[in-house]
Amino acid sequence: PMSEALARLGQEGTEELSVLVNDYFAAMAGLIAAHGGLVGTFGGDALTAIFPLRAGGDDGANAVACALAMQAQMAPYAAIQTRAGSFS
């Protein structure tokens, strides 16, 4: 619904959506990197994180810690105010 509502605003809406998605991806990619992971792919509003096996590393624990940190950072995205209205 948010992408459709912003698309109806034309280029301004498209640009606003791009800023929102890029902000989200930057925040999540930063957390992934901080926990020793890599961003594998971006698609729509989703991304895939990869946590390579490292000798002596606790990659599973890093992946779980990253997921929890990502969930904790979702609060700013729970309710978003845009030119097309509020979305939650």
Side-chain angles (χ1 to χ4, degrees):
M2 180 171 54
S3 61
E4 293 169 3
L6 287 169
R8 285 193 286 273
L9 298 178
Q11 185 173 350
E12 274 188 1
T14 302
E15 289 172 1
E16 185 172 1
L17 182 60
S18 293
V19 168
L20 290 168
V21 171
N22 288 338
D23 178 60
Y24 165 77
F25 281 148
M28 296 302 120
L31 289 171
I32 292 166
H35 288 86
L38 305 167
V39 175
T41 59
F42 293 99
D45 63 353
L47 58 79
T48 302
I50 300 167
F51 290 84
L53 293 174
R54 295 187 174 97
D58 198 355
D59 305 300
N62 289 343
V64 171
C66 181
L68 294 172
M70 291 170 78
Q71 287 179 338
Q73 290 296 314
M74 290 304 295
Y77 306 100
I80 297 175
Q81 182 65 39
T82 71
R83 290 182 185 117
S86 291
F87 298 90
S88 55

